[in-house]
Amino acid sequence: MKNNKQLAALIPYLFVLVAVMSLMFMNIGNTETDITYQEYVDLLNKEQVVTSNVTVSEVVLTIEGIYADSKGVQNVYSLTVPNTEFQNNTIIELINEKSKEVKVIDAYETNPFWDIVSNVLPLLIFGAFAFFMLSRMNGGNNNKAFEFGKSKARLEGAIKVRFEDVAGCDEEKEEMQELIEYLKNPKKFAKMGARIPKGVLMVGAPGTGKTLLAKAVAGEAEVPFYSISGSDFVEMFVGVGASRVRDMFKRAQATAPCIIFIDEIDAVGRQRGTGLGGGHDEREQTLNQLLVEMDGIQDNSGVVIVAATNRPDVLDPALLRPGRFDRQITVSLPDRKGREAILKVHARNKKLDSTVDLNALAKRTPGFSGADLENVLNEAAILAVRESADLITMNHLDEAIDRVMGGPAKKSKVYSDREKRLVAYHEVGHTIIGLKLESSDMVQKVTIIPRGQAGGYNLMTPREEKFMLTKTDLSARITGLLGGRVAEDIVFNEISTGASSDIERATKIAREMVMSYGMSDLGPIQYEHSGGNVFLGRDYSNSSNYSGQIAFEIDKEVRRIIDEAYDHAKRLIQENRELMDRLVDALLEFETLTAENIQNIVEGRAYNESAPVEGV
């Protein structure tokens, strides 16, 4: 097949080559010497003319032939003379007398067959060449320009991804294990009377490995894998998406057992009849056809539909009922153990230094998805190449984490001394809260090197990963966010715009505590729907489900939570002012402090002194 494609690609070049060679041979075969009438008469008188082909028309006489020069070398000649009665009689008599071979041709005598061939053949060649080029331009999986209704699903046969290539989601792999058993041996389930779900919906944040997990199932089961995005169904023309759905299921049933993977299914599976001005006809018809086709799949027929989305709240309820996508698997962000496993998977082809500690790296990256962790290792490898290093060190990985979270360091940016001290006190203010407030996050790194939009950077991670947060945890988080603003106020009696992001996040947490979590004096009442207004058309006329008096009470509670956290942060910083000054001095000198550096300063040791070993 590959050789045939290569030969087909050479056809246009063969056309061009043949045309060029034909022109060359035509030119070689028709190299003539134009001579004058007098020169031709002289050649006739000297009896050097071998052949003379006289073409007679009403206006001119065209004479072509061969003559021999003084050395006996034959040459092709050509000349044209006016066709007058005197000229005609004179030249014809001379030619008949002196030329060795004479042939008179009627200029109006033609060959009908050759005329047709000479006129039609170039058009046929040009038409064939144009058709071939248009076919090549519309090549690939959609090589027929008007086959809009054909499915765009890409078929992948030999999937090489296995479960060992997917880390950090052990529970999710257990849920998918049943699909593998079913695809390998469907009769075992039919014998027991069990019906495997026709559709499995994987829900999770971007980058958590939903697509990779679906491929791993196909790889473990060794079945064909049809992959398509939800947006590939929807077209400008109404009915095209529905046709593509029908064609996709028809192809899948012909190659069963197999897996159909629909990525970003929310692009086609959104609730019907929503939005200003009604729904979207093409998308809704496509969704209707998808529902019908899923109903049409016979139980245990060998076709499993796996879909992925990070917006399950916008999907149509009919898509999620039993018999369609009747199993939902939440692919969550990995915990510390999962992150370490993911790092080990992506580190297989990386040249890591022996000092690299992936466990410590996993502790420093809470909230990172699998894609984020892969990006960290890739950025570290790029940094190592940039420095012409032989191995990836922990310094490369630390910098890679900072680049992923805050962007590249802007080392060329120049601060004034006052700005530099203000940024240092701001960042150390967060650090003091992390050190002295037990429920707050731990400080891993603090720097005054600007990154992205931030003038400084403070990496704080939870002391332990929790499945849920308490009121104390959220209050401590607000206190930590306000630590930078408080430090500026205490030291400089001034506040800057650097705390805007911290204030925004703190206010959001406080408002959620009041309106969503019931963590205020207003009681366990939810005043706000989670997820917000997904569809403007559906929620346009909705009003808040609380009165103006309650709105006033909500604002009071949010302010109270923020004020209490601010006062708490102020007390902690004032009590530890001497420690804050020492940390600021070290930060201004070295620009970056790690958790070990900070601990040394807290315990009164030098900046980079090793901690004493117990018992020594």
Side-chain angles (χ1 to χ4, degrees):
M1 181 64 71
K2 185 176 180 180
N3 292 334
N4 291 338
K5 290 182 178 179
Q6 291 178 346
L7 290 175
L10 293 175
I11 290 179
Y13 303 101
L14 293 177
F15 270 112
V16 175
L17 181 62
V18 170
V20 171
M21 293 180 65
S22 300
L23 291 174
M24 291 176 62
F25 284 121
M26 289 175 64
N27 290 333
I28 293 173
N30 293 306
T31 53
E32 300 177 344
T33 301
D34 292 331
I35 61 176
T36 63
Y37 175 74
Q38 188 59 47
E39 290 175 339
Y40 180 63
V41 172
D42 292 340
L43 290 173
L44 286 173
N45 292 327
K46 296 177 181 178
E47 297 184 354
Q48 291 179 332
V49 177
V50 179
T51 61
S52 294
N53 298 324
V54 183
T55 303
V56 182
S57 66
E58 293 181 356
V59 181
V60 296
L61 298 177
T62 302
I63 307 173
E64 298 174 340
I66 300 173
Y67 75 92
D69 59 16
S70 59
K71 298 180 179 180
V73 178
Q74 293 186 346
N75 299 282
V76 179
Y77 70 89
S78 174
L79 75 152
T80 303
V81 297
N83 185 4
T84 62
E85 183 176 356
F86 173 78
Q87 189 80 17
N88 193 337
N89 295 333
T90 303
I91 193 68
I92 292 297
E93 291 178 1
L94 186 60
I95 290 173
N96 289 331
E97 180 182 353
K98 301 292 184 178
S99 181
K100 298 178 182 178
E101 183 179 339
V102 180
K103 183 178 180 181
V104 179
I105 303 171
D106 185 357
Y108 303 103
E109 182 181 356
T110 61
N111 187 334
F113 176 76
W114 177 248
D115 289 343
I116 294 174
V117 171
S118 60
N119 291 326
V120 175
L121 185 60
L123 295 176
L124 291 176
I125 294 175
F126 178 77
F129 179 74
F131 177 78
F132 178 80
M133 293 303 296
L134 288 174
S135 300
R136 296 291 296 172
M137 290 172 62
N138 293 298
N141 294 330
N142 190 25
N143 58 356
K144 295 184 179 179
F146 298 100
E147 289 191 355
F148 297 115
K150 294 296 183 181
S151 171
K152 291 187 177 182
R154 297 174 297 277
L155 175 59
E156 301 181 35
I159 300 294
K160 298 181 180 180
V161 181
R162 297 293 185 268
F163 271 174
E164 62 184 15
D165 300 317
V166 184
C169 50
D170 296 337
E171 294 79 8
E172 291 82 353
K173 288 193 287 188
E174 289 179 5
E175 288 291 317
M176 303 294 279
Q177 187 66 39
E178 293 177 359
L179 297 181
I180 299 172
E181 293 292 332
Y182 161 64
L183 291 169
K184 286 185 174 180
N185 188 9
K187 294 183 179 179
K188 181 171 70 173
F189 291 85
K191 182 178 179 181
M192 189 60 64
R195 178 184 63 81
I196 287 295
K198 296 178 181 178
V200 176
L201 180 66
M202 292 192 293
V203 178
T208 50
K210 301 183 289 294
T211 303
L212 191 65
L213 186 58
K215 283 190 174 183
V217 173
E220 293 284 348
E222 298 180 346
V223 297
F225 182 79
Y226 289 91
S227 175
I228 191 171
S229 172
S231 60
D232 288 336
F233 291 112
V234 183
E235 281 285 354
M236 177 177 63
F237 305 104
V238 176
V240 174
S243 175
R244 288 177 176 174
V245 171
R246 289 191 295 269
D247 184 67
M248 180 182 69
F249 277 85
K250 181 179 179 181
R251 290 172 57 190
Q253 289 175 350
T255 57
C258 65
I259 291 177
I260 299 175
F261 177 68
I262 306 175
D263 197 10
E264 305 296 344
I265 194 173
D266 52 278
V268 69
R270 284 176 175 262
Q271 293 186 22
R272 291 166 288 185
T274 55
L276 290 175
H280 187 292
D281 286 341
E282 163 64 358
R283 179 176 55 77
E284 293 185 4
Q285 285 196 25
T286 305
L287 175 58
N288 290 337
Q289 189 63 44
L290 180 62
L291 299 176
V292 171
E293 291 295 334
M294 292 189 72
D295 286 338
I297 298 177
Q298 299 180 359
D299 293 340
N300 298 332
S301 63
V303 179
V304 176
I305 301 96
V306 180
T309 182
N310 52 13
R311 293 297 306 275
D313 53 318
V314 305
L315 295 180
D316 195 283
L319 200 61
L320 304 177
R321 74 157 176 81
R324 289 168 182 159
F325 285 104
D326 43 11
R327 175 177 291 185
Q328 292 190 32
I329 298 176
T330 301
V331 185
S332 306
L333 292 171
D335 56 12
R336 183 193 59 77
K337 184 179 178 181
R339 291 195 298 273
E340 183 178 359
I342 292 172
L343 288 169
K344 288 180 179 178
V345 169
H346 292 300
R348 290 174 181 172
N349 64 336
K350 304 289 191 301
K351 294 184 178 181
L352 300 180
D353 188 80
S354 58
T355 59
V356 171
D357 187 355
L358 295 181
N359 183 30
L361 202 64
K363 290 180 180 179
R364 287 192 52 190
T365 52
F368 276 45
S369 65
D372 293 330
L373 295 171
E374 191 275 337
N375 192 28
V376 166
L377 288 174
N378 185 62
E379 287 288 343
I382 292 173
L383 290 171
V385 172
R386 185 181 298 174
E387 297 177 5
S388 301
D390 296 329
L391 298 172
I392 301 173
T393 64
M394 204 65 185
N395 291 333
H396 295 137
L397 292 167
D398 288 340
E399 176 62 21
I401 293 175
D402 295 340
R403 291 173 69 90
V404 170
M405 296 183 68
K410 297 181 178 179
K411 297 182 180 180
S412 61
K413 188 173 182 179
V414 179
Y415 281 133
S416 66
D417 291 339
R418 177 178 172 81
E419 282 182 322
K420 195 171 184 180
R421 288 183 62 81
L422 190 144
V423 171
Y425 272 103
H426 180 101
E427 299 303 333
V428 172
H430 294 302
T431 305
I432 292 295
I433 304 300
L435 290 171
K436 298 302 178 180
L437 187 58
E438 185 177 351
S439 300
S440 180
D441 294 342
M442 295 176 58
V443 179
Q444 296 291 343
K445 185 178 183 180
V446 58
T447 179
I448 56 174
I449 299 174
R451 290 181 181 273
Q453 300 297 321
Y457 173 65
N458 197 310
L459 175 62
M460 303 179 72
T461 60
R463 298 177 187 273
E464 58 180 355
E465 296 194 33
K466 299 180 179 180
F467 186 72
M468 61 183 66
L469 297 174
T470 64
K471 181 180 179 180
T472 302
D473 295 330
L474 294 174
S475 297
R477 186 164 293 180
I478 295 173
T479 304
L481 289 169
L482 296 176
R485 164 71 176 258
V486 171
E488 293 179 14
D489 193 10
I490 291 175
V491 177
F492 297 94
N493 195 25
E494 182 67 276
I495 53 179
S496 71
T497 59
S500 59
S501 176
D502 299 329
I503 295 172
E504 179 184 357
R505 292 162 60 191
T507 305
K508 181 180 179 182
I509 295 173
R511 186 166 291 276
E512 288 177 344
M513 289 175 65
V514 176
M515 301 186 68
S516 299
Y517 306 141
M519 296 179 179
S520 71
D521 294 340
L522 293 178
I525 301 175
Q526 188 178 58
Y527 296 102
E528 186 175 62
H529 296 289
S530 61
N533 294 339
V534 177
F535 298 110
L536 181 61
R538 184 183 67 190
D539 300 316
Y540 187 74
S541 60
N542 285 2
S543 60
S544 60
N545 56 353
Y546 50 84
S547 65
Q549 178 63 29
I550 292 297
F552 175 72
E553 295 294 333
I554 290 173
D555 291 340
K556 285 178 59 178
E557 286 297 309
V558 172
R559 177 177 291 276
R560 181 186 62 81
I561 293 173
I562 295 293
D563 288 343
E564 289 180 356
Y566 191 92
D567 293 338
H568 193 185
K570 192 171 185 177
R571 288 196 306 270
L572 288 174
I573 290 177
Q574 287 175 337
E575 292 170 0
N576 297 275
R577 174 63 188 272
E578 188 270 336
L579 174 60
M580 182 172 69
D581 291 338
R582 284 193 285 125
L583 288 171
V584 167
D585 291 339
L587 188 58
L588 289 172
E589 181 179 357
F590 301 103
E591 293 189 332
T592 299
L593 299 177
T594 64
E596 293 78 12
N597 303 142
I598 294 171
Q599 192 62 34
N600 284 338
I601 296 172
V602 170
E603 297 178 1
R605 295 191 298 271
Y607 159 80
N608 57 355
E609 183 180 346
S610 299
V613 180
E614 294 183 4
V616 178

